[in-house]
Structure formats: structure tokens, C-alpha cells
Amino acid sequence: MLAANLSVITLLMLFGMTPLAAQPLPQALRPTLEAANQQHQTAQQQWAAQQWRMRKDAPLTRFISDPEQRQTLLTRIYQEARLAGLPPDLILALIQVESAFKADAISSAGAVGLMQIMPFWVSELGLPIDDLTHPPRNLRYGCTILAHYLAIENGDFTRALARYNGSLGQTWYPERVMRAWRDTWR
């Protein structure tokens, strides 16, 4: 698991930035970066990711009908969860509870996107141009934030999920996510 305290440098690195980076990665370079990332995976890692996507595709059809969109999202969820040291199935459950896989969802509290990120996190972790409705960026924020809370709570998923939701001390939210994890995504 992650260390108890994520440093600013670590958080920036999770976002694919160095402390001196002031500009986001140009959109035209993203496919090249993703292809390079794929090349650094062993055959066994690629096979495991492919098997995971195949298993999760059927339950995801309930939320997303387009097969290409499902596979793209599953690939990104798997990558971001692994990067943050989180179980990808947990991220699927959290997204199901938070937004029902609607990338443009906005809560009454102002939380945005798949993982329902509060906009203040942009000033804490990102750049002003970050679009929280953009699934890859939203997943990067959400996984980083959850990993941070999991580290603070020494691996206690219930407390980390409650922090993520802003309901620390209550169990209704972690129970919903854990139930979705158990019943749909495991």
C-alpha cells in the first residue's frame, strides 16, 4: 500500500507532472504516451489487464451500451487504479455508487464526473484547465484522492471511503460501495 503521507511531489507524479511542469500534456501526445506505457508492461501484465476487462465488460453493459466506450473506460480504470495501488473492482463500485457511470454527472453539492470530484481538488492537485467531466482526468483525481485517504487511514477501506464521501464517522456510504463491490464487481 501507499505510505501514510503522500508528499506533494508524489501527488504531482501520480498526475503525470513534475513539480516544474506548468503545462498539461498536449492531446496529440497522449496516444504516444499510452502506447509507451503499454510497451513497458510485461506480457503477463497485459494478459491480466485483458482478462480483467473481459470479465467486467458484461456487468458494465447495464450502464454503458457502446462496447468501444466500455473497453476504453475499463482500460483507463484498470490503469489508474493500479497506478494508485487500488483494486480496480473497488473503483468500479465507487463509480457505480457515485455517478452510475455518467461522466457529466454533477451532484447537488457540486461534485463532478464519474468519481464525483469536488472542484476544490483542482486547486489542490491540478491545473485550472483540468476538466473534471473528462473521464481520464476524473479517474486520475479520484484514484489519487482515494489512495491518499486509504494511506491516512492505514488501509482501512471503510474509513477511507467515508473520508472520500465526506461522511467520516458514518458507515452508510462505505457500506453502499462495499455492497456494489461484492454484488456486482467481484
Side-chain angles (χ1 to χ4, degrees), residues 8-19 83 140:
V8 172
I9 301 293
T10 304
L11 288 171
L12 288 171
M13 290 175 72
L14 280 172
F15 273 79
M17 296 179 269
T18 62
L83 179 64
R140 176 66 54 97

Side-chain angles (χ1 to χ4, degrees), residues 50-65:
Q50 180 183 18
Q51 294 301 306
W52 181 84
R53 284 191 308 269
M54 287 173 49
R55 286 191 313 272
K56 303 310 169 186
D57 189 69
L60 191 55
T61 59
R62 181 173 140 206
F63 302 97
I64 300 172
S65 60

Side-chain angles (χ1 to χ4, degrees), residues 29-42:
L29 291 178
R30 289 187 192 281
T32 304
L33 180 62
E34 288 177 17
N37 184 40
Q38 284 287 335
Q39 290 173 351
H40 291 294
Q41 291 182 343
T42 66

Side-chain angles (χ1 to χ4, degrees), residues 64 69 73 95 99-106 112-116 131-135 138:
I64 300 172
Q69 189 181 5
L73 182 61
I95 293 169
S99 69
F101 294 90
K102 292 179 177 61
D104 59 352
I106 300 176
V112 178
L114 291 171
M115 294 186 75
Q116 291 292 278
D131 178 2
L132 294 176
T133 63
H134 184 60
N138 190 278

Side-chain angles (χ1 to χ4, degrees), residues 53 139 148 161:
R53 284 191 308 269
L139 291 167
H148 171 68
L161 286 166

